[in-house]
Amino acid sequence: MSENRIRVTVNSKLTWVSSKPLGGKPHELSALDHAMALHTVHVIFYYRANPFERGLFDSDFSLSDLLCMYPPVMGRFARGDGGNWVVKCNEAGVRTLRASVGTTLDEWLRSADASEERNLTLNEFEGGGLAIGLSCPHMLADPTCATLFFKSWTETNRGEPVRHPPIYHLPAANARRSLSMGINSIKYLGTKSKSAESPSEKMATATFRLSHAIIKQCLAQIHDECPDATPFDLLAALFWIRIMRLKMPRHDQKHSLSICLDVRKPVHGPIPYGYFGNALHFSLLSLDAELLDTAGLGHVAGEVHRHVADLHGEELLSGINWFESRKGEIGQYAQPFRMYGPELTCISMEHMITPKGSTCELSMYEAAFEKGEKPVHVTYRVGNVEGEGLITVMPSPEAGLARTVTVTLPEEQLAELCEDQAIMDLQPTMLLSGKT
Amino acid sequence: MAQILPPFTSSVKLKYVKLGYQYLVNHILTFLLIPIMLGTALEILRLGPVEILNVLKSLRFDLVQILCSSFLIIFVATVYFMSKPRCIYLVDYSCYKAPITCRVPFATFMEHSRLNLKDNPKSVDFQMRILERSGLGEETCLPPAIHYIPPSPTMEAARGEAEDVIFGVIDSLLQKTNLKPKDIDILIVNCSLFSPTPSLSAMVVNKYKLRSNIKSYNLSGMGCSAGLISIDLARDLLQVHPNSNAVVVSTEIITPNYYQGKERAMLLPNCLFRMGGAAMLLSNKRRERRRAKYRLVHVVRTHKGCDDKAYRCVYEEEDPQGKVGINLSKDLMVIAADALKSNITTIGPLVLPASEQLLFLFTLIGRKIFNPKWKPYIPDFKQAFEHFCIHAGGRAVIDELQKNLQLSAEHVEASRMALHRFGNTSSSSLWYELSYIEAKGRMKKGDRVWQIAFGSGFKCNSAVWKCNRSIKAPTDGPWQDCIDRYPVHIPEIVKL
């Protein structure tokens, strides 16, 4: 869209390693990790003040110390015995790029590299400001643990102990949990694994920032139909309806939304918050096309809410176990398929919000290199998304009920969505959409 | 026909014979003196005091004779003391410890190599094979400029590295010895491959605001043995200038010399050379005797440059693509062995005990006169020295010297471990090794240390130090945080 206007010049490329030699066993990847092999994760943190003014080599070695705790981040993929992927923890290092951008922070920057390596990109803006981008293959980490890695780095830089040190191995009890799961999930994943490749179109992304007041107002409006709606339910439903209106009418009667939730629980639960790896659950919510068209926002939000609420502990884990069960004879994991798509997929980041007293704490916005210098914006992007599109609902730095929604759609559909009346009624602040 | 004795008894008998012979020859003077003294004592006792007095009275002395003889004695004594060379003390030294951000594990090095030499997989394979057999560990350091893909060896980066290393090491030395910069009388800096204008020694004078009448020298181009050449120069200067302090800084700046081409013979230094530096404080002041760590006994320099092959064996030149690198020839080890033999021939008589020298002399005469087929006797240098510091030029160098001098694994441990932890730091490697020995608590008063360094040219230089005071395992130094992990077993080939 507007890449010609933005000039990103890569100034230097180097590799960062841990401060001590670690040497370690190869890090094994789970079945779910293998399933995510076709995608990449990109997380970008935007700061108003550049904490690395003096350059990486002069800084306090916080990244080197942090990498001592994350040997798989420095390693490289290799085929292990049995043909499955493992991460050889050989300290090859994190590739770090330093780039300067020809515009100020307040303009859009698309991450320069979507390559397969572990990339840490420091993009300096004119007039101050820094965007730190973290890219990695989805096989290694999902957005949550990438955020936690970054947050740990900021904590190390501030000299504080790391709140969520990485946990690489789950207690063995999980592996033996019974496969008593909802039939829907199994069927959904099974269908997905066999679905054909959809034609690839050029996708574009836009970000809508919605304020606390607006969301509160909307929730009040649908209170009768769905009293317990969360902002996620509301926004997932709203965007689903609006996007469906834009798409061409389909022959089958049902529209589907794939909902991606994180399985980690902050306090207790089988998969701890600090687990390093993939812990995502995909499920399908199908509604009649007519219903979607005619029913109100409240009704659809209620459906979403019901769907999410129905997914509890066992259900979430069983999805992971299903992948395990697809092992071949020699323990080889099945071929990966496209997990994000072909249906419209909606990612929830609600798990990153921890209620704390009267306010709440947002994991990603706590990542401040120096005290008080919180990021002004955090972007999540998943690479290699095909099909109908991707919606990501994230917390806003404003906290409370405010949310930021990032939508990836085919170009023309996105342009129409940005003009859509229902969405404009919410008075969103548009970010990173390539418009001035 | 003499019966062939069982090996055990023969070796035991031989050992005792050898010990007895050594004891006899090395203390021959004592053995000769004792009967003479006994005889004189017996004679005196026999005569009795009265007789002695009579003998003395019979010797008629007059004043002039007494005065002349006493003046003669005083004159001889003065000439002797004046012509005795001054004692040169090594008060203390410090070695450079690179920041942890400069660490280069094997995997990172190989990955960079693959990225920088994308079109030359054979050269990458070669580098990998060298690295596997090199004896280096995972904690060696390269300067920041080399960490970039591709490396960015600008002059500014080279000066930056020089400043970091040299200032770091001098700061540490000044702090250890409580020396004020104004008290430095002689400054010698040696760095072979980086020689900017103004010189590195001028850089030091500028930074520390040294005196305007300082005697500063900058040695460049002299290879890995330049450290001992600087010590030799410092010694000569300290003979001329009484009551002086000399600071010697040895380092090698890697940034400007990282070979960026693909010739295999020139890629070898990239795999082995790493960041490092050392600074030494030498003095001829009497009061330093109390706190000095070592005393310099000998420095022996051998130069084989007159031989063309030796001259060209480490040669800096441009490769066919025009990239500058250092070409190491295939017969490096042979030339090194030859240079070593030459050096040993000179140093042997200076340091070996009389027993070894006699044996060597006998075998030499025997080979010349009786039977040329006799094996040449290799003197046992373990009797002359307690510690050996062999320049950590590479695993092959250490192996070769261990074989030639018949040293045990413990003798070369310091060299191997320094190579493993710090890589080949060129002229400063000897000081890392010395630091290792101290850190292990093995240095006692009276121990003798032999430092051997090889360098381009081809040169072989040796220095002999004697430990002045027992050194407690120091709490600071480059080995401070890792000495407990050493010694490590270094496998023949590390699987990468």
Side-chain angles (χ1 to χ4, degrees):
Chain A
M1 273 163 91
S2 48
E3 274 162 285
N4 332 349
R5 282 196 293 132
I6 320 272
R7 298 174 313 277
V8 179
T9 340
V10 177
N11 295 341
S12 56
K13 200 158 59 147
L14 54 88
T15 308
W16 213 253
V17 295
S18 63
S19 49
K20 281 195 268 286
L22 298 170
K25 294 194 335 252
H27 170 71
E28 307 224 334
L29 298 168
S30 70
L32 180 57
D33 289 332
H34 278 76
M36 308 299 289
L38 291 175
H39 298 285
T40 50
V41 173
H42 308 271
V43 187
I44 306 176
F45 291 78
Y46 292 86
Y47 291 90
R48 203 151 279 286
N50 188 346
F52 294 114
E53 209 77 64
R54 293 162 298 156
L56 271 179
F57 276 108
D58 298 326
S59 71
D60 298 308
F61 316 143
S62 48
L63 187 54
S64 300
D65 289 330
L66 179 77
L67 286 172
C68 289
M69 277 203 301
Y70 286 88
V73 175
M74 289 193 298
R76 294 287 178 266
F77 285 124
R79 285 268 180 203
D81 309 319
N84 294 328
W85 287 106
V86 297
V87 178
K88 221 165 63 163
C89 296
N90 61 359
E91 294 167 28
V94 177
R95 192 82 71 230
T96 309
L97 280 78
R98 225 185 146 135
S100 31
V101 188
T103 60
T104 60
L105 173 62
D106 297 312
E107 306 237 8
W108 184 2
L109 168 78
R110 223 183 249 133
S111 173
D113 284 330
S115 58
E116 290 300 311
E117 301 173 337
R118 270 146 222 77
N119 261 328
L120 183 66
T121 317
L122 275 78
N123 301 292
E124 286 160 4
F125 291 93
E126 275 180 16
L130 180 74
I132 303 184
L134 196 60
S135 307
C136 67
H138 215 304
M139 200 154 63
L140 181 70
D142 60 8
T144 310
C145 63
T147 312
L148 283 179
F149 170 76
F150 195 82
K151 193 151 158 293
S152 308
W153 179 14
T154 58
E155 279 160 3
T156 317
N157 204 45
R158 292 201 303 261
E160 291 167 25
V162 170
R163 268 198 36 214
H164 298 282
I167 300 163
Y168 297 105
H169 302 287
L170 297 171
N174 289 322
R176 287 184 245 109
R177 271 221 155 134
S178 56
L179 288 181
S180 62
M181 63 186 227
I183 318 261
N184 286 333
S185 298
I186 301 187
K187 231 171 60 176
Y188 170 54
L189 291 169
T191 331
K192 212 203 257 287
S193 64
K194 296 190 198 60
S195 60
E197 289 282 312
S198 50
S200 57
E201 302 173 46
K202 188 146 189 276
M203 305 292 249
T205 312
T207 307
F208 303 86
R209 184 165 277 176
L210 301 157
S211 67
H212 171 91
I214 292 283
I215 304 261
K216 196 159 166 192
Q217 197 183 350
C218 290
L219 284 175
Q221 278 171 359
I222 61 166
H223 187 78
D224 306 322
E225 288 172 82
C226 180
D228 305 317
T230 64
F232 171 72
D233 304 326
L234 169 74
L235 291 169
L238 172 68
F239 277 87
W240 188 12
I241 297 173
R242 305 319 303 172
I243 291 172
M244 280 302 128
R245 287 249 168 88
L246 299 170
K247 301 237 181 230
M248 309 223 276
R250 295 225 308 239
H251 297 297
D252 45 52
Q253 293 300 340
K254 279 196 176 282
H255 282 298
S256 310
L257 180 72
S258 170
I259 297 181
C260 170
L261 296 169
D262 194 284
V263 178
R264 295 183 184 89
K265 292 256 184 294
V267 183
H268 28 251
I271 300 192
Y273 206 46
Y275 172 62
F276 190 85
N278 281 289
L280 297 172
H281 177 84
F282 290 85
S283 58
L284 197 66
L285 173 63
S286 294
L287 292 178
D288 286 327
E290 292 202 28
L291 194 69
L292 211 53
D293 235 4
T294 53
L297 177 61
H299 186 82
V300 181
E303 291 286 335
V304 175
H305 180 82
R306 223 180 340 261
H307 181 93
V308 172
D310 282 344
L311 295 169
H312 44 259
E314 295 277 337
E315 179 82 28
L316 294 172
L317 271 180
S318 56
I320 293 176
N321 287 337
W322 180 80
F323 285 102
E324 286 284 334
S325 68
R326 289 179 84 226
K327 269 195 208 178
E329 297 110 22
I330 40 171
Q332 194 174 3
Y333 292 124
Q335 287 295 318
F337 48 86
R338 210 174 291 281
M339 293 297 292
Y340 293 94
E343 312 83 10
L344 189 64
T345 312
C346 187
I347 304 178
S348 158
M349 291 277 168
E350 298 290 299
H351 60 281
M352 300 278 237
I353 304 171
T354 334
K356 215 167 133 182
S358 56
T359 56
C360 54
E361 190 186 87
L362 311 165
S363 282
M364 67 280 273
Y365 285 98
E366 290 297 311
F369 279 99
E370 272 137 58
K371 246 184 157 43
E373 288 283 339
K374 292 196 180 169
V376 295
H377 182 65
V378 180
T379 303
Y380 288 92
R381 197 167 73 86
V382 177
N384 223 356
V385 169
E386 297 278 345
E388 299 202 10
L390 181 68
I391 307 172
T392 312
V393 179
M394 303 173 283
S396 278
E398 194 192 330
L401 297 170
R403 292 289 181 271
T404 306
V405 182
T406 306
V407 183
T408 306
L409 289 176
E411 268 190 295
E412 315 80 44
Q413 292 180 18
L414 188 69
E416 286 178 36
L417 187 71
C418 293
E419 319 265 294
D420 188 84
Q421 193 52 43
I423 299 201
M424 288 298 119
D425 282 341
L426 299 175
Q427 295 154 24
T429 318
M430 301 284 287
L431 297 169
L432 301 179
S433 20
K435 299 193 182 60
T436 27
Chain B
M1 204 50 142
Q3 241 183 350
I4 301 173
L5 295 162
F8 171 66
T9 38
S10 77
S11 72
V12 166
K13 279 197 182 163
L14 214 61
K15 199 173 90 167
Y16 282 123
V17 167
K18 212 170 165 176
L19 267 177
Y21 159 73
Q22 281 168 358
Y23 211 64
L24 175 68
V25 175
N26 290 337
H27 299 99
I28 190 92
L29 279 178
T30 333
F31 284 133
L32 285 178
L33 240 102
I34 286 179
I36 297 176
M37 277 175 19
L38 271 177
T40 339
L42 279 173
E43 191 60 32
I44 291 177
L45 285 175
R46 200 169 58 84
L47 286 179
V50 180
E51 281 283 341
I52 294 173
L53 275 173
N54 284 341
V55 169
L56 280 175
K57 278 217 188 91
S58 67
L59 293 168
R60 259 166 295 135
F61 289 124
D62 61 22
L63 196 59
V64 178
Q65 271 180 330
I66 295 175
L67 271 178
C68 283
S69 7
S70 43
F71 276 140
L72 185 67
I73 293 172
I74 293 172
F75 179 68
V76 168
T78 316
V79 168
Y80 170 71
F81 278 115
M82 291 305 282
S83 66
K84 205 164 81 125
R86 291 185 223 271
C87 264
I88 311 291
Y89 296 106
L90 174 69
V91 179
D92 209 342
Y93 63 97
S94 66
C95 298
Y96 179 67
K97 187 95 184 274
I100 43 172
T101 46
C102 295
R103 188 169 82 91
V104 179
F106 285 159
T108 316
F109 185 87
M110 285 320 305
E111 212 170 85
H112 279 227
S113 184
R114 264 180 240 122
L115 291 170
N116 290 330
L117 292 170
K118 266 199 291 284
D119 310 313
N120 301 292
K122 285 226 180 89
S123 303
V124 176
D125 276 335
F126 174 74
Q127 280 204 309
M128 185 143 83
R129 274 182 283 131
I130 295 293
L131 206 58
E132 284 173 353
R133 291 164 179 73
S134 62
L136 265 68
E138 302 261 18
E139 288 180 273
T140 59
C141 294
L142 280 174
I146 309 295
H147 285 255
Y148 287 94
I149 303 168
S152 63
T154 57
M155 179 145 205
E156 195 188 327
R159 276 199 208 261
E161 184 194 342
E163 285 175 7
D164 281 342
V165 175
I166 296 179
F167 296 162
V169 100
I170 294 184
D171 283 339
S172 168
L173 181 71
L174 294 178
Q175 194 220 6
K176 270 194 196 178
T177 55
N178 284 331
L179 180 72
K180 287 198 268 298
K182 295 277 181 235
D183 292 335
I184 301 177
D185 304 294
I186 300 166
L187 173 70
I188 305 174
V189 178
N190 75 266
C191 169
S192 188
L193 293 166
F194 179 53
S195 185
T197 299
S199 64
L200 295 173
S201 61
M203 187 175 83
V204 173
V205 172
N206 169 263
K207 162 88 176 179
Y208 292 95
K209 313 280 180 263
L210 303 181
R211 298 201 315 257
S212 55
N213 63 344
I214 188 165
K215 305 223 166 351
S216 69
Y217 299 86
N218 193 80
L219 299 173
S220 75
M222 302 193 90
C224 301
S225 59
L228 294 184
I229 297 178
S230 308
I231 299 282
D232 186 43
L233 179 60
R235 179 185 65 161
D236 289 342
L237 288 167
L238 287 172
Q239 299 292 358
V240 177
H241 301 287
N243 226 22
S244 305
N245 284 324
V247 170
V248 176
V249 181
S250 287
T251 182
E252 189 58 71
I253 304 299
I254 313 244
T255 306
N257 307 301
Y258 205 70
Y259 177 60
Q260 315 227 44
K262 59 181 174 69
E263 292 297 313
R264 288 188 221 175
M266 298 186 181
L267 281 172
L268 197 69
N270 281 4
C271 301
L272 299 176
F273 280 88
R274 297 289 183 264
M275 252 173 117
M280 287 73 76
L281 173 63
L282 286 100
S283 177
N284 59 9
K285 296 187 180 179
R286 277 212 168 270
R287 63 180 146 88
E288 298 292 4
R289 227 175 87 184
R290 294 219 168 269
R291 65 169 181 154
K293 274 188 179 172
Y294 300 93
R295 185 168 64 83
L296 182 59
V297 183
H298 300 289
V299 177
V300 174
R301 293 169 57 178
T302 322
H303 205 306
K304 299 303 266 178
C306 58
D307 174 39
D308 281 339
K309 260 183 41 185
Y311 171 65
R312 285 202 76 99
C313 88
V314 179
Y315 205 74
E316 185 182 15
E317 60 190 358
E318 283 178 356
D319 70 3
Q321 278 76 39
K323 301 237 166 62
V324 177
I326 298 168
N327 200 334
L328 299 172
S329 92
K330 292 215 171 46
D331 21 294
L332 183 61
M333 292 320 317
V334 174
I335 292 168
D338 193 40
L340 178 70
K341 227 182 305 229
S342 199
N343 194 289
I344 287 178
T345 322
T346 320
I347 205 174
L350 293 173
V351 294
L352 286 170
S355 54
E356 291 296 314
Q357 297 201 38
L358 266 182
L359 269 179
F360 183 72
L361 188 67
F362 287 150
T363 24
L364 191 67
I365 295 173
R367 269 161 57 88
K368 284 277 176 355
I369 298 176
F370 299 122
N371 183 2
K373 288 229 196 72
W374 277 8
K375 268 195 357 220
Y377 180 68
I378 301 171
D380 187 9
F381 280 91
K382 299 195 281 287
Q383 293 200 26
F385 301 107
E386 276 76 38
H387 305 289
F388 296 80
C389 291
I390 301 168
H391 166 55
R395 202 193 199 140
V397 172
I398 303 176
D399 287 343
E400 183 75 25
L401 258 80
Q402 187 180 8
K403 197 176 62 150
N404 280 350
L405 299 174
Q406 294 168 341
L407 300 175
S408 72
E410 197 183 321
H411 287 123
V412 293
E413 184 187 311
S415 310
R416 287 199 199 280
M417 297 306 128
L419 180 65
H420 183 267
R421 173 63 180 84
F422 295 100
N424 179 350
T425 55
S426 186
S427 40
S428 48
S429 63
L430 299 169
W431 303 101
Y432 285 102
E433 295 167 22
L434 195 59
S435 189
Y436 178 85
I437 301 175
E438 291 182 3
K440 281 286 188 189
R442 295 181 192 161
M443 194 62 78
K444 307 269 178 304
K445 177 167 173 166
D447 280 358
R448 292 153 298 175
V449 184
W450 186 16
Q451 292 184 322
I452 314 173
F454 296 97
S456 59
F458 195 82
K459 303 189 273 286
C460 177
N461 298 331
S462 304
V464 179
W465 302 88
K466 190 155 178 165
C467 182
N468 199 37
R469 59 177 173 85
S470 259
I471 298 170
K472 289 198 301 276
T475 49
D476 57 0
W479 295 94
Q480 161 194 4
D481 58 349
C482 55
I483 191 68
D484 299 320
R485 281 188 268 135
Y486 284 91
V488 291
H489 168 67
I490 304 174
E492 269 300 317
I493 301 177
V494 175
K495 200 68 205 86
L496 280 182

